[in-house]
């Protein structure tokens, strides 16, 4: 089976940097993904890691360590609009290439 | 134009009824999905489908069935609705070579009374 863990909630201040961690256990690993979901809206794609290392995309970066089953999403220069849930998802060859999503981390950005 | 659209946005119905949710994508994608997001906000894959293969999450009851009249549509049929089916259902699509980047529809909030 697959198991994905994330903190349930986090709070940060506007302009700060926040790191959202994700740990996973899976066999046949084929990629880790981060999605953002604002309340009452659909998830939107943020980033994708399949090899170890850091992927940077503007204010957002995502890191992966396959040996440790660990990823994080780094958000810089936080803005109020970054208040949302952040979903970590893992894809596996053993799961028909489909995603398994983690429980999500609800981030609140305070002024 | 909306990339992935779903209808209806809200659906309230009684236990035992049969209902359908429609999904259409105009992105030219070849793979479509159905997800269920429950009250605890867990997003779980139900089905993925392209013109060659249907992959079913084995935990999905067989009361749920996807129907794809063409590449741009993947409808979800639910028979004999139960209280536990109440959730938000999201349709999504992707290109086969970029399945990591899925585009989600706005969701259908299903309430079974």
């Amino acid at each position: 089976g697959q198991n994905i863990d994330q903190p349930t909630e986090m709070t940060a201040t506007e302009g700060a940097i926040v790191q959202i961690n994700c740990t996973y256990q899976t066999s046949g690993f084929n990629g880790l993904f981060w999605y953002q979901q604002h309340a009452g809206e659909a998830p939107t794609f943020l980033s994708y890691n399949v090899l170890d290392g850091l992927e940077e995309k503007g204010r957002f970066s995502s890191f992966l360590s396959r040996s440790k089953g660990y990823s994080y999403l780094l958000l810089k220069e936080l803005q109020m609009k970054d208040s949302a849930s952040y979903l970590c998802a893992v894809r596996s060859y053993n799961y028909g290439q489909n995603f398994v999503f983690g429980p999500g981390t609800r981030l609140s950005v305070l002024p | 134009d909306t990339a992935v659209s779903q209808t209806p946005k809200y659906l309230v119905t009684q236990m035992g009824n049969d209902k359908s949710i429609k999904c259409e994508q105009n992105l030219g994608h070849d793979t479509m999905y159905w997800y269920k997001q429950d009250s605890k906000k867990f997003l779980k894959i139900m089905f993925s489908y392209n013109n060659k293969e249907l992959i079913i999450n084995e935990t999905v009851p067989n009361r749920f069935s996807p129907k794809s009249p063409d590449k741009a549509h993947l409808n979800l049929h639910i028979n004999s609705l139960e209280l536990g089916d109440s959730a938000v259902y999201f349709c999504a699509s992707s290109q086969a070579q970029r399945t990591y980047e899925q585009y989600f529809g706005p969701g259908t909030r299903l309430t079974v009374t």
Side-chain angles (χ1 to χ4, degrees):
Chain A
Q2 296 175 305
N3 188 43
I4 303 173
D5 199 24
Q6 303 177 237
T8 305
E9 291 188 30
M10 297 183 71
T11 303
T13 306
E14 198 174 10
I17 299 173
V18 71
Q19 177 174 312
I20 303 174
N21 295 327
C22 171
T23 57
Y24 66 89
Q25 294 173 316
T26 189
S27 56
F29 175 82
N30 187 30
L32 187 138
F33 315 86
W34 286 94
Y35 277 73
Q36 180 191 58
Q37 186 176 25
H38 285 99
E41 297 183 11
T44 55
F45 171 75
L46 286 179
S47 70
Y48 162 55
N49 296 73
V50 67
L51 299 176
D52 290 351
L54 189 68
E55 293 284 339
E56 296 188 76
K57 220 177 181 183
R59 294 189 299 114
F60 293 4
S61 304
S62 57
F63 171 83
L64 175 66
S65 168
R66 288 172 295 171
S67 62
K68 294 182 180 177
Y70 167 70
S71 172
Y72 67 72
L73 180 70
L74 193 70
L75 291 75
K76 302 176 187 174
E77 301 169 15
L78 278 172
Q79 302 175 8
M80 299 296 288
K81 67 178 183 179
D82 297 329
S83 293
S85 287
Y86 291 85
L87 310 176
C88 171
V90 171
R91 186 171 62 184
S92 166
Y93 288 113
N94 298 338
Y95 197 57
Q97 295 277 31
N98 284 330
F99 290 6
V100 174
F101 278 89
T105 298
R106 188 162 66 236
L107 174 67
S108 299
V109 179
L110 305 178
Chain B
D1 279 344
T2 304
V4 183
S5 59
Q6 294 178 228
T7 54
K9 189 168 176 61
Y10 299 97
L11 181 56
V12 181
T13 188
Q14 292 184 328
M15 286 175 57
N17 285 348
D18 302 337
K19 290 292 178 186
S20 295
I21 305 172
K22 295 186 177 180
C23 176
E24 177 181 3
Q25 54 94 5
N26 62 8
L27 298 168
H29 288 168
D30 50 18
T31 305
M32 296 183 73
Y33 312 82
W34 276 105
Y35 287 87
K36 177 182 180 182
Q37 189 167 42
D38 60 25
S39 57
K40 295 184 180 178
K41 305 301 182 187
F42 269 93
L43 194 61
K44 293 182 181 175
I45 183 78
M46 300 177 71
F47 307 99
S48 68
Y49 182 78
N50 62 27
N51 57 6
K52 299 174 186 174
E53 189 178 16
L54 171 66
I55 298 174
I56 303 171
N57 182 333
E58 61 191 14
T59 67
V60 175
N62 57 15
R63 298 181 294 104
F64 291 78
S65 58
K67 297 257 180 5
S68 180
D70 55 58
K71 276 180 61 173
H73 297 84
L74 184 66
N75 303 325
L76 182 65
H77 296 272
I78 316 169
N79 294 327
S80 303
L81 278 156
E82 300 178 358
L83 292 176
D85 298 333
S86 296
V88 179
Y89 292 83
F90 287 100
C91 175
S93 72
S94 69
Q95 196 65 283
Q97 299 84 359
R98 293 172 65 89
T99 56
Y100 54 84
E101 188 169 0
Q102 298 186 7
Y103 291 79
F104 283 77
T108 295
R109 182 173 292 278
L110 171 66
T111 303
V112 182
T113 62

